[in-house]
Structures are given as structure tokens and as C-alpha cells.
């Protein structure tokens, strides 16, 4: 999982070298995770999250829709297996997906186009707040900071209207 996570993070942050080389590594490591998930159920939420992130980064409408399905599946699986970190990640990615209007984030979060008028906006805030709770339980500081920044931007976007 760590290798897939690092590659996906670099790709999400738009590092040119990571984008050129990393996407293939992301695909391969995600395939390995999915294979492990078929053998051991506790891998399933994380594998679904990685697959969803990969689909989201592709950016086509169909892939974004499929990413949302994977994030929702990961949320259901992590809730069912009482895995709060994975549940927090699933809420985080569902919130990010909604906050960014369905398209993958481009550039720093601060430059993102947050869309309050989009029907997903209230759901995005709800998912991000749920992510805060679950990630705090697990002391996931980096992820908590990312969620807090997006919530801050959502609040600033709302007050500027």
C-alpha cells in the first residue's frame, strides 16, 4: 500500500517526473492490492481507495463516476470491518471528490475551484467532517491537515459569495 500511496500522492500533486513514470507503478501496485484483497478481506478497503484514486486521476467523466463508486465501496467495507482509518480515508476522498466538483484536484488545494452551487457541495462537507472525526481517532495528522484545509477553503468560499 505504501508504494501505491506515495505514487498516487506525487501524481495528485502534479510532479512531472512522477506523472510520467508513476502512473504505471500506481496501476501495477493497485493490481497487487486488489489481488491481496481477494485473498484477505482486510485489504479490500485500501485497495478500493487506491483504485478509486487512480480512476479519479484519469479524469474522464466515466472514470470519476467509477472512482466515486469505489470510494463508496471502500466506505461500506471499512465500516463493516470497523476500520476507522480506512473509513476516514474513504470519507476524505468522497469529500474531496465532491469539493472539487468531480474533477481531480489540479495544483495546490488553495487553487482549486470549489463549487458551492454543485449538488455535491453539502455532501462534500459532511464527508470531510466525518473524515475529521475518524482520522482524529487514528491520529492521522497529515490527512487531518488536508481535510482541515479543504474545509477552511469551503468556509472561505461560502463567506465570499
Amino acid at each position: 500500500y505504501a508504494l501505491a500511496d506515495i505514487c498516487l500522492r506525487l501524481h495528485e500533486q502534479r510532479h512531472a517526473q512522477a506523472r510520467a513514470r508513476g502512473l504505471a507503478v500506481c496501476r501495477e501496485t493497485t493490481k497487487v492490492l486488489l489481488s491481496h484483497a481477494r485473498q484477505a478481506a482486510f485489504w479490500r478497503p485500501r485497495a478500493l481507495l487506491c483504485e478509486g484514486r487512480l480512476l479519479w486521476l484519469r479524469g474522464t467523466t466515466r472514470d470519476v463516476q467509477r472512482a466515486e463508486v469505489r470510494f463508496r465501496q471502500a466506505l461500506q467495507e471499512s465500516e463493516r470491518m470497523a476500520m476507522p482509518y480506512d473509513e476516514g480515508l474513504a470519507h476524505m476522498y468522497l469529500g474531496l471528490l465532491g469539493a472539487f466538483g468531480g474533477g481531480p484536484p489540479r495544483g495546490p488545494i488553495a487553487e482549486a475551484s470549489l463549487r458551492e452551487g454543485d449538488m455535491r457541495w453539502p455532501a462534500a462537507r459532511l464527508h470531510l467532517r466525518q473524515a475529521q472525526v475518524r482520522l482524529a481517532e487514528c491520529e492521522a495528522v497529515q490527512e487531518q491537515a488536508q481535510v482541515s484545509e479543504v474545509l477552511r477553503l469551503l468556509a472561505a468560499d461560502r463567506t465570499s459569495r
Side-chain angles (χ1 to χ4, degrees):
Y1 166 75
L3 179 59
D5 185 56
I6 289 167
C7 290
L8 287 163
R9 282 179 194 262
L10 290 172
H11 193 77
E12 288 165 350
Q13 294 171 7
R14 297 188 68 166
H15 289 276
Q17 290 179 338
R19 177 162 283 166
R21 298 182 193 134
L23 203 55
V25 174
C26 291
R27 273 190 249 116
E28 289 304 312
T29 55
T30 299
K31 284 181 189 177
V32 170
L33 280 171
L34 290 167
S35 173
H36 287 308
R38 284 188 282 279
Q39 297 168 8
F42 66 86
W43 283 99
R44 187 160 167 76
R46 199 72 57 93
L48 289 165
L49 287 168
C50 286
E51 186 178 26
R53 290 168 69 187
L54 186 60
L55 288 164
W56 187 20
L57 289 170
R58 289 183 188 166
T60 68
T61 301
R62 183 171 182 260
D63 285 332
V64 170
Q65 290 168 345
R66 290 172 58 207
E68 183 176 7
V69 168
R70 295 306 183 281
F71 295 151
R72 289 189 185 285
Q73 290 171 332
L75 179 58
Q76 290 172 345
E77 290 289 321
S78 60
E79 287 173 338
R80 184 178 65 80
M81 291 189 274
M83 299 172 74
Y85 179 72
D86 293 74
E87 186 179 339
L89 290 178
H91 277 298
M92 182 178 83
Y93 282 106
L94 283 165
L96 291 172
L97 188 74
F100 289 106
R106 306 221 189 276
I109 291 174
E111 296 174 16
S113 167
L114 300 170
R115 302 178 186 171
E116 183 177 354
D118 190 326
M119 290 299 290
R120 293 178 174 206
W121 192 81
R125 287 185 56 199
L126 179 63
H127 279 296
L128 291 167
R129 287 188 177 137
Q130 288 294 321
Q132 274 186 318
V133 171
R134 292 294 176 248
L135 295 170
E137 290 172 4
C138 305
E139 300 179 11
V141 177
Q142 183 177 356
E143 293 85 351
Q144 282 180 283
Q146 185 177 3
V147 170
S148 294
E149 177 66 9
V150 174
L151 283 169
R152 186 189 65 72
L153 290 170
L154 284 171
D157 185 59
R158 184 177 185 149
T159 59
S160 69
R161 291 179 184 262

